[in-house]
Amino acid sequence: MKTANLAIVFTDIKGFTERTSRQTLEENQRLLQVHNALLAPLFKAFGGRIIKSIGDAFLVTFESPTQAVLSGIAIQDRLWHHNRNVAEGEQLHVRVAINVGEVRLESNDVFGEPVNIAARVEGLAEAGEVYFTEAVYLAMNKAEVPSKEVGAFELKGIPGKIRVFHVPRAPYRVEAPSAAAIAEAPGSEVMPPFGNLALSRVPESSLGPSMDLGQRASALGQRAAAGASVLGQRAAAGASVLGQQASVLGQQARTVGGSAFSRLVAALPPGLGARVRTVVGERRKVLVGLGLFAVVAGVAVVVFGGGAAKRAIHAVEDAPEQERGALAKEAKRLIREEKDAGRRYYLEGQLEEAMGNVAGSLSEYGRAVKAGNGAAEDRIIDLLEHPQCGVRSAAAYSVAQLKLEDAVGELEDLADDGGPDDGSGGILGMGRCDSKKAAQSALKSFNKD
């Protein structure tokens, strides 16, 4: 008999049985197709193995309890994004329950008390929540996952009481996501319930049909644009070309210029960088639109070098995909040596972008802003004009969460005009991205009409 110590995850849809009784067979099949397409890629992204899927229920195993919990909150945040863009009758509300323990492995299935306990805990969980047992709580990395005890429960067929925990709603104090650091109120309407804490770690290319070919092309375009500050003369030359093309590229050039401005400020000594941001002030958008800072940023990289960590990040950005992993490790080592916390978090965000995880960089930029880093604030604002709808939307949520008053103008522009790929993505015509709507929601946190 083969056994293994695994985290067991159960999920199901709230009210599924009742819904199936009033829907046609085709409608039920479509519901399950959308459900599976949304959840399955996230299980895989966090290292899960789908053991079975029966109707609306998934049974999934993970080697890491931490990854199991992260997958659960990623699922809830992804469903939040999906539900905002579909009719109420088409929304999906899922509950997630997790336990860990030694299970028997037989014929591609798992058995044992840990499985039974996970199933019982699922019965306690509410839709939109992630519940897990004390065994998971003790085994997981608490620095990565916030948690709060729900209580101790007697479960049918299980001796003794089982302590149950859940992941509380965002916002969190990023520096220490402990029970004492968690806001009691649920997340506001302008941000997902768990603040994209786990979803931001998943590359958009791993999310399946929600990212179409047009979005992938936009992602490649952004990568090329970000290359404006590559090392040495190459950076300056590339930035000059971008500046010359600004009048033709319009909105895209503006995004490139904004990115270059952030890189310029980050490359300058702290005192000088602060003075540059002050002088630019309200003229920032005009200067960025002209592509001026794209040229200046290239020169700044030549003059100041940006430090060893910046050079390492540029090396990652410039390398073939198969070589990035090793280079990223070196970049992380150098970033850890940075003494200023705000700049360290900013560089982490830059590294995420260099690795192609633009949406994931926002959580690091958020930490940098809280630590007083102005370049990170500029970069979040720049991302409101990113070619990808998903990134623009995530940036809008970050602006609302961080209360970035300087971003209100850009938010208003996005709320009025939207973006070129709004309405793209989605699954079977559902759950399409809408950065215009995200910006309108974000503006509510500033009490703007």
Side-chain angles (χ1 to χ4, degrees), residues 72 76 94-97 125-131 166-169 194:
Q76 300 297 11
V94 168
R95 52 187 181 175
V96 180
E126 299 291 336
E129 297 286 353
V130 179
Y131 275 37
H166 77 131
V167 181
R169 301 298 180 97
F194 302 103

Side-chain angles (χ1 to χ4, degrees), residues 6-350:
L6 298 172
I8 308 296
V9 175
F10 274 103
T11 71
D12 70 357
I13 301 173
K14 176 185 178 182
F16 178 73
T17 302
E18 189 273 332
R19 289 175 73 169
T20 58
S21 66
R22 56 183 169 81
Q23 293 184 160
T24 66
L25 178 61
E26 290 75 14
E27 288 173 330
N28 290 336
Q29 289 177 334
R30 183 182 181 189
L31 174 69
L32 290 176
Q33 286 174 341
V34 173
H35 167 258
N36 294 355
L38 288 169
L39 270 63
L42 290 173
F43 291 135
K44 181 179 179 181
F46 287 92
R49 176 172 174 252
I50 298 174
I51 300 298
K52 62 174 107 175
S53 175
I54 304 174
D56 66 319
F58 274 111
L59 168 58
V60 187
T61 61
F62 291 78
E63 293 185 0
S64 164
T66 304
Q67 295 297 101
V69 179
L70 288 172
S71 77
I73 61 178
I75 284 169
Q76 300 297 11
D77 279 348
R78 192 177 195 199
L79 290 176
W80 180 87
H81 290 289
H82 166 79
N83 290 340
R84 285 165 59 86
N85 295 293
V86 298
E88 184 177 355
E90 297 176 337
Q91 293 180 2
L92 290 168
H93 300 281
V94 168
R95 52 187 181 175
V96 180
I98 308 166
N99 187 35
V100 66
E102 188 174 24
V103 296
R104 300 193 316 274
L105 308 177
E106 298 178 15
S107 302
N108 295 319
D109 208 342
V110 291
F111 302 92
E113 187 173 77
V115 180
N116 298 336
I117 292 175
R120 299 298 184 195
V121 171
E122 184 185 36
L124 301 173
E126 299 291 336
E129 297 286 353
V130 179
Y131 275 37
F132 51 93
T133 63
E134 182 179 17
V136 175
Y137 172 78
L138 293 174
M140 73 184 191
N141 183 345
K142 299 170 190 60
E144 290 195 58
V145 184
S147 59
K148 190 172 185 180
E149 185 168 359
V150 178
F153 299 87
E154 292 184 353
L155 305 177
K156 184 178 179 180
I158 307 299
K161 289 187 175 183
I162 301 295
R163 290 176 67 196
V164 176
F165 296 75
H166 77 131
V167 181
R169 301 298 180 97
Y172 314 115
R173 290 181 196 162
V174 178
E175 294 81 2
S178 63
I182 296 159
E184 292 296 325
S188 70
E189 64 180 74
V190 298
M191 67 179 297
F194 302 103
N196 288 327
L197 177 67
L199 188 59
S200 65
R201 305 183 185 194
V202 182
E204 290 154 288
S205 59
S206 300
L207 293 179
S210 63
M211 187 176 187
D212 60 20
L213 292 176
Q215 287 176 288
R216 293 175 192 267
S218 295
L220 292 174
Q222 167 67 12
R223 230 175 100 194
S229 58
V230 175
L231 289 172
Q233 293 295 333
R234 183 175 174 188
S240 298
V241 171
L242 288 172
Q244 293 165 3
Q245 292 177 344
S247 60
V248 178
L249 297 179
Q251 186 88 352
Q252 182 177 353
R254 189 170 175 218
T255 301
V256 174
S259 173
F261 174 74
S262 299
R263 293 183 179 213
L264 166 60
V265 174
L268 294 173
L272 181 56
R275 289 197 295 275
V276 169
R277 282 192 297 273
T278 301
V279 171
V280 171
E282 293 299 322
R283 288 171 286 181
R284 174 180 176 275
K285 290 178 69 176
V286 176
L287 292 170
V288 169
L290 294 172
L292 174 60
F293 279 101
V295 179
V296 177
V299 176
V301 171
V302 175
V303 175
F304 296 105
K310 287 289 287 184
R311 289 194 292 272
I313 292 170
H314 296 324
V316 172
E317 185 177 53
D318 224 25
E321 187 170 353
Q322 62 271 21
E323 298 177 11
R324 287 182 175 179
L327 292 172
K329 287 183 180 179
E330 174 62 14
K332 288 180 180 179
R333 184 188 69 79
L334 293 169
I335 290 171
R336 284 195 295 269
E337 294 177 358
E338 175 62 51
K339 295 181 180 179
D340 180 78
R343 180 169 171 79
R344 186 167 63 249
Y345 296 142
Y346 172 76
L347 292 172
E348 289 281 4
Q350 292 278 281

